[in-house]
Amino acid sequence: MAVGIEALQTLEAPPWLGAGGLTRCRQALGGKLVRETWKYSPLPKVTNALLAADEHQGPPVGALPPGVALHRFDELDVPPTLGIDLNRYPLAGIAAARAGAGWLIDVKRTPSHPLRIPAPALGVSAPLLVRVAASCRVDIEQETVQTTDNADFGAQILVLSLAADSEAHWAAAEFAPTADKWCLLQAHLQRNAALTLNHQGTVSNFLRQDVNIVLGGQGARLASVGAALVQDGGRLDQQLVIEHASGGTVSRIKQHNLAAGRSRCTFNGRIHIHAGASGADADLSNRNLALDPSAEVNTKPELEIYNDDVRCAHGATVGQLDAEALFYLQSRGLGPQQAQRLLSLGFLRDGLAGPYAERAAEAFAAHFTSA
Amino acid sequence: MSLLEVDGLYASVNGEPILKDLSLRVEAGEIHAIMGPNGSGKSTLANVLAGRPGYEVTAGQVSFNDTALVDVAPEARAQAGLFLAFQYPVEIPGVSNMEFLKAAWDSHLAAQGAQPESAVGFMKRARALATSLGLNPEFLKRGVNEGFSGGEKKRNEILQLLLLEPKLAVLDETDSGLDIDALQTVAAGVNRFRSADNGVLLITHYQRLLNHIVPDRVHVLNEGCIVASGDKHLAEKLEAEGYAWLSG
Ligand SMILES: Nc1ncnc2c1ncn2[C@@H]1O[C@H](COP(=O)(O)OP(=O)(O)OP(=O)(O)O)[C@@H](O)[C@H]1O
Ligand SMILES: [Mg+2]
């Protein structure tokens, strides 16, 4: 593969990658597992951009509320483990090697207000680990912030580690940043931990989101609701791997994506139910609308189930607007174009939740009023 | 001039002939009830009138306010004052009932060349109407019909009827699935709508609705054709004897 092999050779692996970590990443880059999940996105280009981009060394966040502490990985006696599968996510190893030491946000008490962590649109950010202590709850808000008008490249790794009975709500938004971006969200949930995810926004760049949620402890729960409007030739590629590794784990995922104009969106949702996960309950729904004939949608449900005692629903649809609903609106006096706009907007808004919902709804509405 | 004139209408649904030589005339100020067995073509007639895609007029005439309806777009029919209360109102998540109602009303005003009503004034009117129909105004914030019970959906149809003030209301089984209170509320709504200037086509299976809304004429539809017409006593006969006598 035509990646900057030389740059790769000279990279130094951070301690958490372990001996031979980078070698493994290099090998995985050419492997089948990675090739399959990069079917619709240019892996060599992204790898090269990752190698060429500037790095961010500064702390990811300013003042923190009481009970929450910020540490650099290399200041800690024992460097934390991120639990990222480098065979699946070799870019994570490269990004971490580029950006140097990562940052740990240690949540030992439930903070009184949400943690706002800006996500720089440009450059490679050091990995950020948010560790939530048992029975604590944290809300994290992360908006991609465009720092310059020059289209460039950004990379970001966020790892959430939820102890037993803890709760986290991660809300992320982007409003048409111009820089291309790769990001990985990795989460590990212990017994009865609960994670809520909301990702929403407008995408007019290249955005690749890798998401790996490991429901590791008995009764751990994931609820994810998201919506994206992909416009102006944008390319959205979402790759989810949800692992039900213990019994009684629950996942609920709803993602509504709309491809307008000559844009493309890809969604690959894989539910993996491990042998020991009796009583696991998974429900994934991905709906896509292709508004124009030149828009492209790829969606692929994937199920891997190694236990008979599970409930699993997986739906992926690509479609046009519902004819019944169109007629209902027209029968009330709305012209066909207005009816289409309203239904498209409704489809997107149906995938909104969390603190950015209102702004996302406004951004969607703006698209349809200017269109 | 009649409000609605249907003359020798033949119509097909997806190529299947359903309505066969149907004629009907509704004058302003009149309420006509249409009854008939399941599958006799009642909803087909309603949908043909509203201009639903896939419902094709193959022969005959339909005119509304002296304008031929065939080839008129559904939204233009609505703007001209034709309203269909759906037998199965559609759920539209993500579009709030209020914004839907406002968009519908604005389209009517725009068609008349009028200025849009202020959002505040309209919302006040919509909330008051909802309350009068036994719908909590909170329903206006929810997605259109989203998660509404059967009865709530039907009340919502009547809410739209009263807000849009059409000239002809076609109500397709708006009474089906309603409890006694809801039935009275819906009937009161229709009676409130009723005036010397407008007309109602009431599709129903039940005589009990006609105790609350007294029709001027009752028609029996069978196999796509009106086979009997009469006054309100015809509905009572149907209630007592069913439809068996149609084929006898
Ligand atoms: N999309 C369609 N394609 C083919 N046939 C259809 C379609 N829709 C309706 N029909 C047929 O047209 C006939 C009339 O249906 P319609 O819905 O008008 O009956 P109805 O009188 O309203 O019945 P109900 O009392 O059950 O509501 C039925 O035989 C039905 O199966
Ligand atoms: Mg019917």
Side-chain angles (χ1 to χ4, degrees):
Chain A
M1 174 177 354
V3 296
I5 289 292
E6 305 221 324
L8 264 179
Q9 306 288 9
T10 56
L11 273 182
E12 218 172 292
W16 61 267
L17 269 188
L22 266 182
T23 313
R24 262 203 298 148
C25 290
R26 261 177 243 139
Q27 283 164 353
L29 274 178
K32 185 161 166 263
L33 180 64
V34 170
R35 273 207 321 273
E36 274 176 0
T37 72
W38 282 84
K39 195 169 154 194
Y40 296 102
S41 292
L43 179 60
K45 197 175 152 216
V46 172
T47 311
N48 282 326
L50 195 54
L51 287 165
D54 294 334
E55 62 255 45
H56 283 287
Q57 295 282 359
V61 62
L64 287 168
V68 182
L70 178 70
H71 307 282
R72 264 178 74 116
F73 281 5
D74 51 12
E75 292 164 2
L76 298 165
D77 295 338
V78 187
T81 41
L82 295 184
I84 296 171
D85 177 0
L86 294 175
N87 290 322
R88 189 184 284 279
Y89 304 113
L91 290 184
I94 296 168
R98 286 293 328 279
W103 294 89
L104 166 68
I105 293 182
D106 220 359
V107 180
K108 293 216 161 114
R109 272 204 337 254
T110 297
S112 55
H113 56 82
L115 305 182
R116 291 205 178 81
I117 307 173
L122 301 179
V124 186
S125 304
L128 176 63
L129 167 64
V130 179
R131 203 160 61 185
V132 187
S135 303
C136 287
R137 183 197 154 91
V138 66
D139 293 286
I140 303 165
E141 295 175 10
Q142 211 169 18
E143 183 183 338
T144 298
V145 182
Q146 184 76 44
T147 45
T148 138
D149 287 338
N150 293 331
D152 204 339
F153 180 80
Q156 189 200 329
I157 300 170
L158 176 67
V159 181
L160 302 174
S161 173
L162 306 191
D165 301 305
S166 70
E167 265 180 67
H169 182 178
W170 180 69
E174 18 228 311
F175 298 105
T178 52
D180 292 345
K181 184 171 177 182
W182 168 80
C183 54
L184 168 66
L185 173 69
Q186 173 80 52
H188 298 272
L189 281 73
Q190 293 178 28
R191 190 173 42 79
N192 290 334
L195 175 62
T196 305
L197 303 179
N198 296 131
H199 185 273
Q200 51 225 339
T202 51
V203 176
S204 47
N205 54 341
F206 165 77
L207 175 60
R208 161 76 179 217
Q209 296 178 309
D210 282 303
V211 176
N212 182 201
I213 311 293
V214 182
L215 302 170
Q218 185 84 20
R221 300 185 306 280
L222 165 72
S224 175
V225 175
L229 166 63
V230 191
Q231 58 186 10
D232 305 331
R235 300 270 182 276
L236 173 66
D237 184 353
Q238 297 176 311
Q239 302 279 331
L240 276 71
V241 180
I242 311 302
E243 296 183 48
H244 287 257
S246 280
T249 47
V250 179
S251 64
R252 292 283 176 273
I253 296 167
K254 168 161 126 175
Q255 181 72 36
H256 284 192
N257 292 338
L258 187 150
R262 287 154 47 85
S263 59
R264 176 162 77 194
C265 60
T266 300
F267 180 94
N268 191 350
R270 169 191 287 259
I271 305 274
H272 182 167
I273 300 186
H274 296 232
S278 290
D281 181 351
D283 192 324
L284 187 157
S285 152
N286 169 236
R287 290 179 58 204
N288 298 278
L289 276 184
L291 268 206
D292 303 271
S294 54
E296 183 188 331
V297 173
N298 312 292
T299 178
K300 190 163 103 181
E302 280 187 275
L303 294 173
E304 240 181 294
I305 303 181
Y306 299 102
N307 188 308
D308 292 336
D309 172 29
V310 299
R311 192 195 147 269
C312 191
H314 198 313
T317 61
V318 184
Q320 271 78 42
L321 297 167
D322 176 34
E324 282 277 312
L326 268 177
F327 175 62
Y328 191 61
L329 293 181
Q330 284 178 261
S331 79
R332 297 303 181 244
L334 279 70
Q337 286 185 338
Q338 198 193 354
Q340 282 172 20
R341 279 202 299 269
L342 198 54
L343 287 183
S344 304
L345 197 52
F347 168 80
L348 282 169
R349 288 194 299 215
D350 195 24
L352 292 181
Y356 295 109
E358 214 162 296
R359 272 178 63 205
E362 280 166 19
F364 295 156
H367 172 87
F368 288 104
T369 37
S370 64
Chain B
M1 149 183 142
S2 302
L3 190 56
L4 176 71
E5 237 179 295
V6 181
D7 197 17
L9 175 68
Y10 285 76
S12 299
V13 184
N14 296 329
E16 178 86 16
I18 307 289
L19 300 183
K20 295 152 194 164
D21 196 16
L22 188 148
S23 297
L24 175 73
R25 191 180 276 249
V26 179
E27 308 294 338
E30 289 184 345
I31 294 191
H32 287 230
I34 300 211
M35 306 183 79
N38 293 134
S40 57
K42 303 180 298 296
S43 293
T44 302
L45 172 62
N47 284 312
V48 166
L49 293 177
R52 184 189 282 262
Y55 288 68
E56 196 199 349
V57 172
T58 51
Q61 306 290 330
V62 182
S63 65
F64 171 59
N65 256 342
D66 268 357
T67 312
L69 274 189
V70 183
D71 296 335
V72 175
E75 65 273 18
R77 299 180 193 211
Q79 290 159 5
L82 199 154
F83 179 89
L84 168 63
F86 283 49
Q87 183 172 3
Y88 305 108
V90 183
E91 297 197 15
I92 311 180
V95 175
S96 85
N97 218 5
M98 185 64 98
E99 96 182 297
F100 160 66
L101 295 171
K102 178 83 165 68
W105 179 236
D106 284 350
S107 74
H108 280 64
L109 292 177
Q112 293 157 20
Q115 291 297 313
E117 186 178 348
S118 82
V120 177
F122 178 82
M123 280 161 73
K124 219 168 135 180
R125 212 154 58 83
R127 277 198 293 266
L129 266 180
T131 308
S132 76
L133 290 168
L135 271 179
N136 186 326
E138 289 296 306
F139 275 81
L140 297 169
K141 295 185 192 160
R142 284 169 53 179
V144 176
N145 295 317
E146 188 186 3
F148 288 24
S149 76
E152 287 160 355
K153 283 180 182 164
K154 298 300 175 82
R155 287 178 203 243
N156 201 27
E157 294 292 286
I158 298 298
L159 173 64
Q160 294 165 49
L161 168 73
L162 293 176
L163 269 176
L164 299 178
E165 301 172 330
K167 295 197 182 74
L168 177 69
V170 181
L171 308 181
D172 191 357
E173 294 199 27
T174 304
D175 56 329
S176 289
L178 295 185
D179 64 33
I180 295 154
D181 287 351
L183 183 76
Q184 285 182 358
T185 310
V186 163
V190 175
N191 283 326
R192 190 164 146 194
F193 165 72
R194 177 175 206 177
S195 83
D197 303 324
N198 58 34
V200 178
L201 204 55
L202 202 62
I203 296 170
T204 182
H205 283 292
Y206 306 105
Q207 139 73 20
R208 58 173 194 169
L209 178 68
L210 305 179
N211 289 334
H212 301 282
I213 308 171
V214 181
D216 299 289
R217 300 285 291 164
V218 175
H219 309 278
V220 180
L221 197 59
N222 192 38
E223 294 180 7
C225 178
I226 291 180
V227 293
S229 293
D231 60 13
K232 61 178 181 169
H233 300 294
L234 177 56
E236 288 158 13
K237 177 180 156 86
L238 290 173
E239 181 84 357
E241 300 175 19
Y243 292 112
W245 55 275
L246 287 177
S247 42

